[in-house]
Amino acid sequence: MVDSQVAELIRVLVLSGGQGPPRDWTRLCAEVLGVDGIAISVASDGTELLWFSDERSARLDDLQFTLGEGPSVEAARDGSLNLESNLERAFGERWPAFVPAAVDSGVLAVFAFPLRLGAICFGGMTGHRRRPGPLGEQAVADALTIADAMAVYLLALGPRETGPAAPTAGTGYPGNGIGRNTGGGLGSGFLTGFGDLHRAEVHQAAGISSVRLDVPLPEALVRLRAHAYASDRPILDVARDIIGNRLQLPRDPES
């Protein structure tokens, strides 16, 4: 039986129409699941963060976008459920760049749930805590119920691309083996109805850099990520400097 609070969250989501749930929906979702924050991102010609409860959740998603690794990346790419109750004990080869950066930011537990329907996997819902500790069985069940409802909601909004070429344009994470997700993705025009997107400036900066450096847009985005990582700066700050002509990414020495 679905908890009444979870049922109400799903009801509000369904009634929200094409604009998405109200701003406080993710905060209420985090409270119901017993986490400090939550973020929901999708893959549609690159990844985009749709909704988040707080700035720390947004930064955590941006970090994974920059690094191309982390529990949200794997949830969106493979449809895997990733419940890391103590990141301080998770140092190793799986997420060598993400884990220390997340711990340094004050995040000690991460719980990533895939947004999927059958073979179609196209995003993730990720909760975090500033303290270690597992998510209870009921909270996991509730999160899976909400993630499934979100998947149905999102798929009902936009066109779906199918076939082996669709996932290639999907998550946009560099070197992520995206070919394993063969079920399809969300259409290229899917995000147009959501108003101001969190990473719009990143995509704008990638477009500017593509022209300046005379490289394809995907390569420009990879270089932007690499610069953000190498300079240990949030990718949004780097993007704003590029847009404001305060920064120009260096040309490849071999170009």
Side-chain angles (χ1 to χ4, degrees), residues 25-234:
W25 187 88
T26 48
R27 290 194 294 269
L28 293 173
C29 188
E31 290 178 10
V32 169
L33 298 179
V35 294
D36 294 325
I38 203 163
I40 296 169
S41 57
V42 296
S44 177
D45 287 350
T47 58
E48 186 54 59
L49 177 58
L50 288 184
W51 304 295
F52 53 93
S53 61
D54 60 292
E55 288 302 318
R56 192 188 298 268
S57 293
R59 290 195 299 269
L60 189 68
D61 193 84
D62 284 341
L63 175 64
Q64 294 176 86
F65 177 83
T66 300
L67 299 175
E69 67 174 44
S72 304
V73 175
E74 291 190 5
R77 183 189 67 199
D78 304 328
S80 58
L81 177 64
N82 298 301
L83 306 178
E84 291 295 336
S85 61
N86 192 340
L87 286 178
E88 290 183 307
R89 297 180 180 177
F91 284 83
E93 297 181 358
R94 187 179 185 185
W95 304 316
F98 167 76
V99 169
V103 171
D104 285 346
S105 74
V107 173
L108 297 183
V110 179
F111 313 101
F113 302 84
L115 301 182
R116 64 178 302 166
L117 192 63
I120 306 168
C121 183
F122 51 85
M125 182 180 79
T126 304
H128 77 270
R129 281 179 178 160
R130 296 188 295 274
R131 64 189 186 284
L135 206 58
E137 290 184 10
Q138 186 59 53
V140 172
D142 289 344
L144 288 170
T145 299
I146 295 170
D148 286 345
M150 178 62 71
V152 172
Y153 168 77
L154 290 172
L155 283 177
L157 291 182
R160 181 186 144 206
E161 296 174 353
T162 57
T168 302
T171 64
Y173 291 112
N176 62 359
I178 191 64
R180 283 175 285 179
N181 182 351
T182 58
L186 298 177
S188 59
F190 168 75
L191 295 172
T192 57
F194 286 101
D196 295 334
L197 296 172
H198 175 71
R199 277 195 280 269
E201 291 168 305
V202 172
H203 301 303
Q204 182 182 354
I208 293 171
S209 297
S210 175
V211 173
R212 286 177 175 172
L213 302 176
D214 192 24
V215 297
L217 185 59
E219 182 177 342
L221 182 57
V222 169
R223 293 192 188 188
L224 197 162
R225 286 171 170 155
H227 184 89
Y229 175 67
S231 59
D232 194 24
R233 297 182 62 203

